[in-house]
């Protein structure tokens, strides 16, 4: 408003307060009402700032205290007060100070039989009660008793007054003191009776807001422990459950169903988590750390804990907005260049990781010899296991001792073992097989698939492998996770698997079962996996058709929540039988009938426990990361003994993220062994009635201070019909990509490359805590000739550094990396151009141990490796420590990479996008003043995202962000940008789901 307008408002308010002339007062009220009824809320806020609330409240007190109150003035005045009070956060306190609350309450009591006057008073009381302290005082002064005189059973008369009373009561009950008072006076039972009456008689749904108001009253009362107890005692759960059954899929009744859902979830009897412990079923001693004992969930089960109110996740992007409070506002920190985090002399060891800088092209005949030399653990300066403090494996003391003895020759022995296996590949039969017809089976239909593959399961040690006999069911090839040479005897593939692989079509690109078996034989896991998952062994191809994102059925989330509640109110059909449990000595309970068989003890597998809830419904519990109990999302398990044409329901009940793409069209993936043997080896999206929501369990983890705190658990539920009777199927969160798969893929790429055009070197950057190699790849173009100019151009090419899979559960990052490698090594002209322009340093898997052991986020040390880049520990975080060391080495040689990109997967957003780093954009977003004369910045960090936005259909520039957050201070993107000085330092996020735009819209990318 202009200064003149400001003076006019002051005059109006002053006249309104001082005048006793009715016409003047009414005219002033009319002007103020018209003034505040149009335009934006800025007029109301301006009026409040000029004392408008106080002026109107004082006028109310003056008008009400006359001998005969004039309602011609009071009613418009109350309406105006309500309009302003909705925007004034201190309105209730102002009304209390000016004694307007007592006046309004007195007016309401005097007008119990005059509904228009009473309604206006109730509106004002509702606004006053928005302040909890004021609401508590109103409760003490008998406001609730007054309102219960107004709220009547169902009637078509005076419904506006009834609604005002119900909403005022709901506002009062936000005060916990009022809620406890309501419980003691028996209002819970009365409210339930009123709700039932209005629900059953309002058949036309004309009074939904009154019914919802009554439910809001119950919702606020059940915020206190005594309210929840009383609600259950009077069978409130059963009443609301029964009355809402027919409304779940009605859009019109969403306000009712949403509020009922919140009340029922809050009052759902709290139960201890159905698992003996919250730590992983597997253990690994962290070098130099004392083992922490994590609490059992029931040890800290608090019946008095109040559950926060949760709103349904209707907006997919609601949780994806940047938090300005997390932005780094310290310009000195943003512009700082931290010092080297290790002795400079230590960088020399990374020289051998850059063979392209020392390669002698004039001695081609010694190429193989040089390659062996570069990979040898005996060369001074190489990353030997001793200098990396590798802890080979912690399966047994005897095993560890043998590992230490053979530590020096581990790599050599592994290579020899792989070569021995590759020299004995599994060949198909000599005579040509007829092409397999799509509908023709290759196995005996008369016996179950599981049984047919179990025959001949005897290891080379001469004993029957019970795990394989009881479970695989189709993996049936057992491999040893030996910690080192001579640690344990190698177990050969069974005769059954050998015959099976003879029928392998051999047409799956970049996959050979013999290579995979050889690599899997050298992979070291904490559980000592002896079984291969069939999809990883056999391989798979993408379906010949694109799968659309699933359209979510309206109301399905509420229906699933009600299914949970049904277990309490109608428990007759609940079985609660544990059918799989990693924590028990015999995790496979194959003697149980009429249930599915589960298994997860294979590489990247994750399923801790399966509980049969009903005949065709199972609760599934995931295994948390070793040495960390906070992350549960990734699952990959085998299921068998299913019936055909039967819908099965699976509930994964201990997920930990607050929202998921499963609520917006994403589906789990499934691989059918029978389908694979019929020539259709596909991972396909499956499932319907999919929903992801917060459940009634809480996972207790040690807090930094003050003892354990509860963390909400979330349920992923989905139903599916298996394609075949007695099949063996695998279900996973996303397309699995294991460490052994990656290693065998690298073997195949190395053999398939064009050696005349492509310079390709695969080296071991370091070993992980479990003793698994972390490969480092170098890809560029061979020099055009051996001339000095061409060799100089070869060595002076700028570097591009790519990394992936620091978070094991983000398997999509590995698939993106797989495509990157295949393209860079291809004959595509663009790939050739990229090789001629750049040297690519690629670390395709930063967290091998996490991937192998089925983790979601952490390494064996229990740490999120993407939060360790600031100060990585060489023992606990070797892959990060040496990745950073390699980058420091390149910087010390004046070869700072032009691009660094860390591949990730995003579970809550669609599309592919980048996170980068910008000082100016961060400060601008944080609302800081930027001195452009001092803060200069190259905007080249936006070039690559803009190019990708033009050429990549799945990429979306508008989803990119270049803000530096405090909580991301120790991530690869920020540390490489700040410490190494890489302008184009990115995190690339790829969706688990599909795209919201372009070519791949509404289909899986």
């Amino acid at each position: 408003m202009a200064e003149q307008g400001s003076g006019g408002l002051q005059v109006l308010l002053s006249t309104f307060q001082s005048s006793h002339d009715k016409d003047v007062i009414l005219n002033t009220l009319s002007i103020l009402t018209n003034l505040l009824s149009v335009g934006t809320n800025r007029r109301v806020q301006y009026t409040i700032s000029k004392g408008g609330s106080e002026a109107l409240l004082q006028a109310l007190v003056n008008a009400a205290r006359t001998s005969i109150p004039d309602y011609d003035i009071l009613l418009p005045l109350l309406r105006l007060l309500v309009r302003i009070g909705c925007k004034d956060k201190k309105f209730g306190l102002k009304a209390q100070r000016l004694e307007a609350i007592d006046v309004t309450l007195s007016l309401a009591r005097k007008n119990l039989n005059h509904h228009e006057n009473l309604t206006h008073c109730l509106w004002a009381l509702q606004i006053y009660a928005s302040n909890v302290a004021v609401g508590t005082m109103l409760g003490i002064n008998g406001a609730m008793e007054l309102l219960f005189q107004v709220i009547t059973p169902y009637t078509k008369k005076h419904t506006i007054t009834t609604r005002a009373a119900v909403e005022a009561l709901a506002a009062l009950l936000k005060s916990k003191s009022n809620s406890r008072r309501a419980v003691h006076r028996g209002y819970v039972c009365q409210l339930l009776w009123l709700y039932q009456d209005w629900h059953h008689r309002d058949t036309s749904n004309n009074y939904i807001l009154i019914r919802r108001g009554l439910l809001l009253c119950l919702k606020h009362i059940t915020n206190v422990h005594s309210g929840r107890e009383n609600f259950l005692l009077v069978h409130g759960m059963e009443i609301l459950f029964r009355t809402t059954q027919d409304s779940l899929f009605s859009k019109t009744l969403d306000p009712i169903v949403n509020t009922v859902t919140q009340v029922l979830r809050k009052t759902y009897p709290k139960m201890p988590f159905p698992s003996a412990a919250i730590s992983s079923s597997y253990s690994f001693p962290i070098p130099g750390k004392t083992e922490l004992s994590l609490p059992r969930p029931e040890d800290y089960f608090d019946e008095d804990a109040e559950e926060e109110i949760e709103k349904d996740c209707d907006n997919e992007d609601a949780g994806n907005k940047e938090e300005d409070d997390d932005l780094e506002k310290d310009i000195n920190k943003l512009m700082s260049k931290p010092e080297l985090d290790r002795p400079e002399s230590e960088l020399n060891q990374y020289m051998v990781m850059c063979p392209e800088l020392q390669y002698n092209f004039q001695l081609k005949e010694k190429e193989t010899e040089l390659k062996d030399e570069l990979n040898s653990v005996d060369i001074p300066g190489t990353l030997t296991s001793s200098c990396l403090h590798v802890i080979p494996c912690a399966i047994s003391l005897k095993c560890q001792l043998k590992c230490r003895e053979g530590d020096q020759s581990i790599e050599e022995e592994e290579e020899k073992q792989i070569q021995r296996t590759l020299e004995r590949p599994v060949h198909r039969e000599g005579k040509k097989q007829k092409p397999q017809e799509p509908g023709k089976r290759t196995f005996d239909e008369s016996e179950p698939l599981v049984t047919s593959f179990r025959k001949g399961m005897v290891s080379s040690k001469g004993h029957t492998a019970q795990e394989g006999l009881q479970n695989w069911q189709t993996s049936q090839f057992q491999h040893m996770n030996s910690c080192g040479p001579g640690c344990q005897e190698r177990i050969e593939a069974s005769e059954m698997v050998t015959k099976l692989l003879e029928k392998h079509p051999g047409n799956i690109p970049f996959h050979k079962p013999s290579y995979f078996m050889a690599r899997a034989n050298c992979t070291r896991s904490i559980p000592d996996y002896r079984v291969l998952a069939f999809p990883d062994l056999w391989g798979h191809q993408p379906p010949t058709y694109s799968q659309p994102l699933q359209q979510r059925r309206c109301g399905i989330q509420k229906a699933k929540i009600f299914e949970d509640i049904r277990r309490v109110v109608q428990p007759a059909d609940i079985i609660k039988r544990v059918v799989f449990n990693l924590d028990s000595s015999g995790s496979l309970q194959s003697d149980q009938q009429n249930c599915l068989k589960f298994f997860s003890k294979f590489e990247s597998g994750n399923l801790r426990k399966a509980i049969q809830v009903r005949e065709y419904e199972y609760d599934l519990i995931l295994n948390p990361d070793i040495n960390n109990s906070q992350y549960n999302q990734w699952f990959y398990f085998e299921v068998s003994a299913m019936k055909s044409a039967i819908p099965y329901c699976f509930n994964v009940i201990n997920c930990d993220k607050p929202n998921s793409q499963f609520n917006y069209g994403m589906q789990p993936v499934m691989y059918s062994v029978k389908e694979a043997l019929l020539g259709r080896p596909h991972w396909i999206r499956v499932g319907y009635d999919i929903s992801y929501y917060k459940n009634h369990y809480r996972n207790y983890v040690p807090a930094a201070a003050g003892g354990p705190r509860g963390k909400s658990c979330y349920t992923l539920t989905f139903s599916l019909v298996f394609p075949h009777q007695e099949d063996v199927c695998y279900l996973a969160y996303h397309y699995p990509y294991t460490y052994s798969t990656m290693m065998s893929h690298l073997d195949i790429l190395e053999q398939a490359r064009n050696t005349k055009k492509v310079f390709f070197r695969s080296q071991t950057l370091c070993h992980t805590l479990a003793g698994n190699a972390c490969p480092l790849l170098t890809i560029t173009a061979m020099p055009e000739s051996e001339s000095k100019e061409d060799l100089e151009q070869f060595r002076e090419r700028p570097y591009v550094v790519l990394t992936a899979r620091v978070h094991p559960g983000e398997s999509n990052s590995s698939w993106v990396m797989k495509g990157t490698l295949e393209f860079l090594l291809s004959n595509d002209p663009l790939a050739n151009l990229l090789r001629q322009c750049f040297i690519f340093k690629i670390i395709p898997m930063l967290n091998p141990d996490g991937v192998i052991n089925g983790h979601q986020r952490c390494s064996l040390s229990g740490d999120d490796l993407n939060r360790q880049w600031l100060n990585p520990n060489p023992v606990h975080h070797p892959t990060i420590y040496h990745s950073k060391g390699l980058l420091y080495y390149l910087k010390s040689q004046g070869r700072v990479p032009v691009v660094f990109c860390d591949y990730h997967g995003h579970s809550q957003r669609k599309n592919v996008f980048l996170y980068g780093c910008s000082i100016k954009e961060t400060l601008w977003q944080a609302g800081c003043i930027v001195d452009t004369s001092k803060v200069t910045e190259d905007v080249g960090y936006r070039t690559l995202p803009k190019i990708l936005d033009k050429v990549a259909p799945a990429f979306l520039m508008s989803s990119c962000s270049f803000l530096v957050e405090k909580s991301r201070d120790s991530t690869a993107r920020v540390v490489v940008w700040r410490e190494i000085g890489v302008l184009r330092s990115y995190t690339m996020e790829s969706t688990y789901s599909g795209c919201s735009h372009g070519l791949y819209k509404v289909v899986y990318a």
Side-chain angles (χ1 to χ4, degrees), residues 256-324:
I256 299 287
V257 177
N258 289 340
T259 312
V260 168
T261 303
Q262 290 172 346
V263 174
L264 292 180
R265 293 175 70 174
K266 203 183 318 180
T267 56
Y268 194 110
K270 301 298 182 291
M271 299 178 183
F273 198 75
S275 182
I278 59 172
S279 57
S280 174
S281 297
Y282 309 128
S283 62
F284 178 82
I286 305 172
K289 287 188 179 181
T290 306
E291 187 174 352
L292 296 175
S293 58
L294 296 174
R296 294 163 62 92
E298 56 267 32
D299 293 341
Y300 296 96
F301 185 71
D302 183 7
E303 282 288 352
D304 294 322
E306 297 202 4
E307 187 159 335
E308 70 269 27
I309 299 168
E310 183 201 19
K311 296 179 180 177
D312 287 334
C313 301
D314 293 326
N315 182 5
E316 181 177 354
D317 296 317
N320 296 327
K321 296 178 181 177
E322 295 290 345
E323 294 289 342
D324 290 352

Side-chain angles (χ1 to χ4, degrees), residues 660-729:
S660 170
Q661 278 294 312
F662 283 118
N663 276 334
Y664 311 105
M666 179 175 160
Q667 297 168 281
V669 295
M670 184 186 78
Y671 186 103
S672 163
V673 172
K674 282 193 176 182
E675 285 290 298
L677 296 177
L678 290 169
R680 296 184 289 271
H682 307 314
W683 279 104
I684 59 171
R685 298 281 182 170
V686 295
Y688 60 93
D689 286 352
I690 299 172
S691 187
Y692 188 94
Y693 58 89
K694 187 166 75 172
N695 60 39
H696 57 283
Y697 295 117
R698 292 183 79 80
N699 194 4
Y700 287 84
V701 297
R709 56 182 172 82
K711 185 179 181 182
S712 297
C713 291
Y714 295 79
T715 292
L716 162 65
T717 178
F718 59 93
S719 299
L720 64 88
V721 177
F722 291 104
H724 300 284
Q725 179 94 359
E726 294 291 337
D727 196 358
V728 177
C729 293

Side-chain angles (χ1 to χ4, degrees), residues 495-511:
E495 184 181 351
M496 183 66 223
V497 175
T498 304
K499 289 182 178 179
L500 173 68
L501 291 179
E502 289 175 359
K503 298 180 180 179
H504 192 278
N507 60 349
I508 298 176
F510 298 102
H511 180 78

Side-chain angles (χ1 to χ4, degrees), residues 1-14 35 46-47 49-50:
M1 289 184 182
E3 193 64 37
Q4 185 177 358
S6 172
L9 178 62
Q10 299 276 13
V11 170
L12 278 174
L13 293 174
S14 176
L35 181 68
Y46 188 79
T47 303
S49 69
K50 295 300 179 181

Side-chain angles (χ1 to χ4, degrees), residues 282-415:
Y282 309 128
S283 62
F284 178 82
I286 305 172
K289 287 188 179 181
T290 306
E291 187 174 352
L292 296 175
S293 58
L294 296 174
R296 294 163 62 92
E298 56 267 32
D299 293 341
Y300 296 96
F301 185 71
D302 183 7
E303 282 288 352
D304 294 322
E306 297 202 4
E307 187 159 335
E308 70 269 27
I309 299 168
E310 183 201 19
K311 296 179 180 177
D312 287 334
C313 301
D314 293 326
N315 182 5
E316 181 177 354
D317 296 317
N320 296 327
K321 296 178 181 177
E322 295 290 345
E323 294 289 342
D324 290 352
D325 291 341
D326 189 36
L327 295 177
E328 182 57 72
K329 301 175 185 177
D330 186 344
I331 188 170
N332 294 323
K333 192 170 183 180
L334 285 169
M335 300 186 69
S336 66
K337 302 295 181 185
E339 296 180 359
L340 190 66
D341 66 353
R342 65 196 76 194
E344 191 171 352
S345 59
E346 197 177 301
L347 298 181
N348 292 331
Q349 66 176 322
Y350 299 102
M351 179 177 64
V352 296
M353 296 293 112
C354 298
E356 66 281 358
L357 301 181
Q358 296 113 32
Y359 195 89
N360 189 344
F361 291 94
Q362 295 177 345
L363 301 173
K364 289 184 179 180
E365 66 276 5
K366 296 186 178 180
E367 181 178 354
T368 305
E369 194 175 309
L370 181 60
K371 179 183 172 184
D372 292 339
E373 182 185 358
L374 288 171
N375 286 327
S376 170
V377 295
D378 297 324
I379 289 184
T382 58
L383 307 187
T384 62
S385 56
S386 57
C387 85
L388 300 185
H389 309 285
V390 172
I391 309 299
C393 196
I395 298 171
S396 67
L397 179 60
K398 182 179 178 182
C399 185
Q400 288 180 26
L401 291 173
K402 289 186 177 181
C403 287
R404 294 191 188 107
E405 292 169 6
D407 202 33
Q408 295 287 321
S409 58
I410 285 177
E411 287 187 16
E412 292 178 8
E413 288 296 324
E414 284 184 355
E415 289 299 325

Side-chain angles (χ1 to χ4, degrees), residues 127-380:
I127 300 300
Y128 300 154
S130 60
N131 180 283
V132 175
V134 174
T136 301
M137 192 199 75
L138 280 168
I140 294 171
N141 292 339
M144 285 197 295
E145 290 77 3
L146 169 68
L147 293 173
F148 269 102
Q149 292 180 48
V150 181
I151 301 171
T152 63
Y154 176 79
T155 176
K156 292 184 179 181
K157 296 179 180 179
H158 313 303
T159 53
I160 295 177
T161 304
T162 303
R163 176 185 165 188
V166 168
E167 290 175 348
L169 179 60
L172 284 171
L173 290 170
K174 288 181 180 178
S175 160
K176 292 183 179 178
S177 297
N178 287 342
S179 291
R180 293 187 185 97
R181 191 174 293 111
V183 173
H184 294 321
R185 296 183 182 178
Y187 290 160
V188 174
C189 191
Q190 193 171 344
L191 285 167
L192 281 169
W193 178 81
L194 284 167
Y195 173 73
Q196 286 185 87
D197 184 64
W198 279 88
H199 173 80
H200 290 307
R201 298 175 66 182
D202 181 24
T203 54
S204 301
N205 295 323
N206 293 324
Y207 307 112
I208 289 175
L209 294 177
I210 293 177
R211 291 155 60 186
R212 181 175 182 270
L214 291 167
L215 289 170
L216 285 173
C217 293
L218 289 168
K219 175 183 170 184
H220 297 321
I221 287 176
T222 52
N223 276 335
V224 297
H225 179 63
S226 59
R228 294 193 292 273
E229 275 190 339
N230 195 253
F231 179 82
L232 293 174
L233 189 65
V234 296
H235 306 291
M237 180 171 277
E238 290 84 345
I239 292 170
L240 295 190
F241 179 82
R242 185 176 60 251
T243 55
T244 315
Q245 284 298 295
D246 298 333
S247 312
L248 291 176
F249 298 100
S250 170
K251 265 289 186 188
T252 307
L253 296 175
D254 259 359
I256 299 287
V257 177
N258 289 340
T259 312
V260 168
T261 303
Q262 290 172 346
V263 174
L264 292 180
R265 293 175 70 174
K266 203 183 318 180
T267 56
Y268 194 110
K270 301 298 182 291
M271 299 178 183
F273 198 75
S275 182
I278 59 172
S279 57
S280 174
S281 297
Y282 309 128
S283 62
F284 178 82
I286 305 172
K289 287 188 179 181
T290 306
E291 187 174 352
L292 296 175
S293 58
L294 296 174
R296 294 163 62 92
E298 56 267 32
D299 293 341
Y300 296 96
F301 185 71
D302 183 7
E303 282 288 352
D304 294 322
E306 297 202 4
E307 187 159 335
E308 70 269 27
I309 299 168
E310 183 201 19
K311 296 179 180 177
D312 287 334
C313 301
D314 293 326
N315 182 5
E316 181 177 354
D317 296 317
N320 296 327
K321 296 178 181 177
E322 295 290 345
E323 294 289 342
D324 290 352
D325 291 341
D326 189 36
L327 295 177
E328 182 57 72
K329 301 175 185 177
D330 186 344
I331 188 170
N332 294 323
K333 192 170 183 180
L334 285 169
M335 300 186 69
S336 66
K337 302 295 181 185
E339 296 180 359
L340 190 66
D341 66 353
R342 65 196 76 194
E344 191 171 352
S345 59
E346 197 177 301
L347 298 181
N348 292 331
Q349 66 176 322
Y350 299 102
M351 179 177 64
V352 296
M353 296 293 112
C354 298
E356 66 281 358
L357 301 181
Q358 296 113 32
Y359 195 89
N360 189 344
F361 291 94
Q362 295 177 345
L363 301 173
K364 289 184 179 180
E365 66 276 5
K366 296 186 178 180
E367 181 178 354
T368 305
E369 194 175 309
L370 181 60
K371 179 183 172 184
D372 292 339
E373 182 185 358
L374 288 171
N375 286 327
S376 170
V377 295
D378 297 324
I379 289 184

Side-chain angles (χ1 to χ4, degrees), residues 557-781:
Q557 185 178 73
K558 290 182 275 287
K560 289 294 186 178
I561 293 170
F562 269 71
E563 281 300 312
D564 278 357
I565 294 163
R566 186 190 298 277
R567 299 187 189 187
V568 175
V569 299
Q570 297 175 2
D573 62 341
I574 301 299
I575 300 173
K576 271 195 174 179
R577 178 172 61 170
V578 177
V579 296
F580 176 77
N581 190 359
L582 282 182
D583 297 317
S584 65
S585 54
S587 60
L588 309 175
Q589 302 174 23
S590 57
D591 56 324
Q592 298 194 21
Q593 302 299 317
N594 300 319
C595 66
L596 294 173
K597 312 298 180 187
F598 294 86
F599 187 64
S600 63
K601 293 186 72 173
F602 49 78
E603 188 176 348
S604 293
N606 191 317
L607 177 66
R608 181 180 198 151
K609 196 173 187 177
I611 305 168
Q612 188 176 20
V613 179
R614 298 185 179 95
E615 186 177 4
Y616 301 115
E617 182 177 1
Y618 295 83
D619 281 353
L620 307 179
I621 299 174
L622 305 181
N623 198 27
D625 297 355
I626 296 171
N627 289 316
N628 191 305
S629 60
Q630 296 186 55
Y631 300 108
N632 298 285
Q633 205 77 17
W634 169 259
F635 60 86
Y636 179 23
F637 59 88
E638 176 194 284
V639 60
S640 59
M642 66 282 292
K643 298 177 182 178
S644 61
I646 294 292
Y648 286 88
C649 180
F650 298 97
N651 311 306
V652 183
I653 63 174
N654 65 328
C655 299
D656 67 345
K657 293 195 175 182
N659 201 3
S660 170
Q661 278 294 312
F662 283 118
N663 276 334
Y664 311 105
M666 179 175 160
Q667 297 168 281
V669 295
M670 184 186 78
Y671 186 103
S672 163
V673 172
K674 282 193 176 182
E675 285 290 298
L677 296 177
L678 290 169
R680 296 184 289 271
H682 307 314
W683 279 104
I684 59 171
R685 298 281 182 170
V686 295
Y688 60 93
D689 286 352
I690 299 172
S691 187
Y692 188 94
Y693 58 89
K694 187 166 75 172
N695 60 39
H696 57 283
Y697 295 117
R698 292 183 79 80
N699 194 4
Y700 287 84
V701 297
R709 56 182 172 82
K711 185 179 181 182
S712 297
C713 291
Y714 295 79
T715 292
L716 162 65
T717 178
F718 59 93
S719 299
L720 64 88
V721 177
F722 291 104
H724 300 284
Q725 179 94 359
E726 294 291 337
D727 196 358
V728 177
C729 293
Y730 292 80
L731 293 171
Y733 182 86
H734 191 70
Y735 307 106
Y737 192 94
T738 67
Y739 173 77
S740 299
T741 298
M742 177 198 70
M743 296 299 285
S744 62
H745 182 236
L746 296 182
D747 292 336
I748 294 168
L749 287 176
E750 186 166 12
Q751 288 195 359
R753 78 188 193 281
N754 186 334
T755 55
K756 293 182 179 180
K757 290 186 176 182
V758 180
F759 180 92
F760 177 89
R761 290 294 179 272
S762 178
Q763 299 169 276
T764 297
L765 175 68
C766 63
H767 284 81
T768 65
L769 280 172
N772 293 292
C774 177
L776 168 68
L777 311 178
T778 304
I779 299 174
T780 188

